[in-house]
Amino acid sequence: MRCSVVALPVLAAATSVVAQAPRPGDDGKYTISSSGITAKFIPYGATLTNLFVKDKNGEDVDVVLGYDDINYYPEDPGHPVYNSIPGRYVNRIGKGKYTIDGTTYTTQLNDGSNTLHSGNNNWSYRVWNVTDFTKDSITFTVRDASNSSQGMLGLVKGQVTYSVSGSKWNIKMEATSPEAKTPLMLTHHTYFNLDAYKNPDTVKIWNHTLYMPYSKRYLVADDGALPTGKIGTAEPNSINDFASRPDLFLGHARSDPKFAGNCGGGGACEGYNGYFLIDDAPKDAAVVQLASAFSGIKADLRTDQPGVVIYSCNWMDGSANLKSTQGTKTNRKVVRSSCVAIEAQDYVDGINHPEWGRVDKQITGPGQAYTWESSWTFGNL
């Protein structure tokens, strides 16, 4: 399956008014649960704050990053986009410019010479509305006024529904742009550490395995993590190979001299911050599997998107605290390369690369609707 932009009526749910707004729990979070999962959310960024799944011993483990204090999410100056939805156009826009119908628009430069996640007023900074809430699902909506993110013209109405069933967490997003053609590309920016930082031997993510059997190809990027336009193919056991076999550790190439600068940053970004294409995956196939032998947890991603971004948390500087549900007496901080963000989405900066054939998938206008759906299924090795 692939991201679809089809003719549909404007989403009524994005502007619906409920007589009595759903209320969070005493911790200020909205909790949904199933037999195998407990998930907690807040309206800021439509953010997932906690995700508890079963480890190999049947114990609940909180496998995503976040903060205990929900008031810190809007205060954190680093704003790592913990498990929220940036938008209306995620990842990078090269040089902060794009063109629609011959008109060039300029966006905020907030990532060097590029735009990241539509700028510093993207949807992960917004307080969303809770429009539906049950024991196993929650729906958030957002109204993004024209130019509220610089250069993003036209009203956009968006919504996300999170639901859980058994051991599966499902995410479904919809959005419309009823007034004008506009860039529209979403993702869920989920940060994982399947050990919950409890492994006494390491807090690094390199002991996790990553298997992407349909992702031999990747977008070649420059030093600022912006795609150059070239598409590379990872040879078996090369730095960017996670397709050749299922037992490759995230850190399998650490001995390669190029690993230390593989994601740019002037040679300071070790590991990964790039986009992998998903090619010829069977319908409903697991396209990514993240796993850890320490906790025994495995997580399988299914998505209708044509690729995923893998970011191995190079820029975490050790200043952020772990949640009380994570870590040990000695491991209390989010340090460099200690987590991995996995973000299903369309091609990065595809709006500026017509040679990839993704422009029409990344622009939505009146009479069209954008849809995105992914799920994570958790189990044990």
Side-chain angles (χ1 to χ4, degrees):
M1 294 184 291
R2 291 293 180 263
C3 165
S4 60
V5 180
V6 295
L8 288 174
V10 173
L11 294 174
T15 55
S16 64
V17 178
V18 291
Q20 184 174 359
R23 303 285 297 176
D26 292 340
D27 59 1
K29 303 174 183 180
Y30 294 84
T31 301
I32 63 175
S33 61
S34 63
S35 58
I37 296 175
T38 297
K40 294 176 176 284
F41 302 88
I42 58 172
Y44 182 77
T47 297
L48 170 75
T49 62
N50 306 82
L51 185 64
F52 295 94
V53 301
K54 302 293 184 182
D55 70 3
K56 61 187 178 184
N57 299 314
E59 300 293 328
D60 289 327
V61 176
D62 189 0
V63 295
V64 296
L65 276 67
Y67 311 114
D68 282 334
D69 182 3
I70 62 173
N71 296 315
Y72 190 63
Y73 282 87
E75 295 175 0
D76 181 3
H79 195 78
V81 196
Y82 275 159
N83 319 319
S84 61
I85 300 172
R88 65 180 70 172
Y89 189 90
V90 301
N91 216 291
R92 288 165 179 82
I93 297 175
K95 313 307 178 187
K97 295 183 184 298
Y98 68 91
T99 300
I100 294 179
D101 293 340
T103 300
T104 298
Y105 300 89
T106 301
T107 52
Q108 179 188 4
L109 301 181
N110 65 328
D111 185 58
S113 60
N114 305 311
T115 299
L116 181 61
H117 299 320
S118 302
N120 291 339
N121 190 32
N122 68 66
W123 293 5
S124 68
Y125 289 88
R126 313 287 180 88
V127 177
W128 295 48
N129 295 311
V130 179
T131 55
D132 191 53
F133 179 42
T134 70
K135 65 179 182 179
D136 57 9
S137 72
I138 186 168
T139 298
F140 294 95
T141 61
V142 66
R143 187 179 189 276
D144 185 17
S146 179
N147 211 40
S148 54
S149 291
Q150 179 186 325
M152 295 291 174
L153 302 186
L155 169 69
V156 169
K157 302 173 184 180
Q159 74 174 45
V160 58
T161 297
Y162 300 111
S163 60
V164 292
S165 176
S167 60
K168 184 173 77 170
W169 170 41
N170 197 75
I171 313 161
K172 184 176 183 179
M173 291 187 269
E174 303 170 65
T176 59
S177 179
E179 298 177 348
K181 290 183 179 180
T182 191
L184 189 49
M185 182 170 78
L186 302 177
T187 193
H188 195 271
H189 207 284
T190 322
Y191 284 88
F192 290 104
N193 182 307
L194 299 183
D195 297 339
Y197 289 83
K198 295 180 182 293
N199 188 335
D201 296 325
T202 182
V203 295
K204 301 287 189 175
I205 201 68
W206 309 132
N207 70 317
H208 286 44
T209 58
L210 182 67
Y211 185 40
M212 301 191 293
Y214 309 103
S215 295
K216 294 180 181 179
R217 298 195 301 158
Y218 61 93
L219 298 185
V220 177
D222 66 15
D223 197 59
L226 181 73
T228 64
K230 296 180 180 179
I231 297 177
T233 299
E235 297 298 325
N237 300 311
S238 63
I239 291 178
N240 292 317
D241 172 35
F242 293 102
S244 64
R245 63 179 197 269
D247 59 348
L248 284 168
F249 289 103
L250 259 168
H252 75 89
R254 291 182 71 195
S255 61
D256 189 317
K258 296 180 181 178
F259 186 85
N262 189 52
C263 48
C269 185
E270 69 173 5
Y272 304 94
N273 188 18
Y275 185 84
F276 291 79
L277 284 63
I278 298 170
D279 291 321
D280 301 321
K283 184 178 180 180
D284 296 328
V287 294
V288 177
Q289 182 178 95
L290 182 71
S292 171
F294 175 79
S295 64
I297 296 171
K298 63 178 181 178
D300 290 333
L301 173 68
R302 292 171 173 83
T303 185
D304 63 4
Q305 298 300 290
V308 291
V309 168
I310 303 295
Y311 168 54
S312 56
C313 297
N314 176 81
W315 302 113
M316 302 302 189
D317 62 6
S319 61
N321 293 321
L322 291 169
K323 291 179 286 187
S324 57
T325 55
Q326 298 174 325
T328 65
K329 289 183 178 180
T330 55
N331 298 336
R332 298 306 317 151
K333 298 288 186 178
V334 181
V335 300
R336 182 190 190 201
S337 305
S338 65
C339 53
V340 60
I342 301 177
E343 310 154 46
Q345 62 173 79
D346 213 295
Y347 289 37
V348 176
D349 198 33
I351 197 171
N352 285 317
H353 288 277
E355 70 271 24
W356 295 338
R358 305 306 301 176
V359 175
D360 288 346
K361 300 294 185 181
Q362 298 187 11
I363 295 174
T364 300
Q368 297 176 313
Y370 171 97
T371 63
W372 181 106
E373 188 165 7
S374 298
S375 68
W376 286 98
T377 303
F378 297 89
N380 297 130
L381 295 171

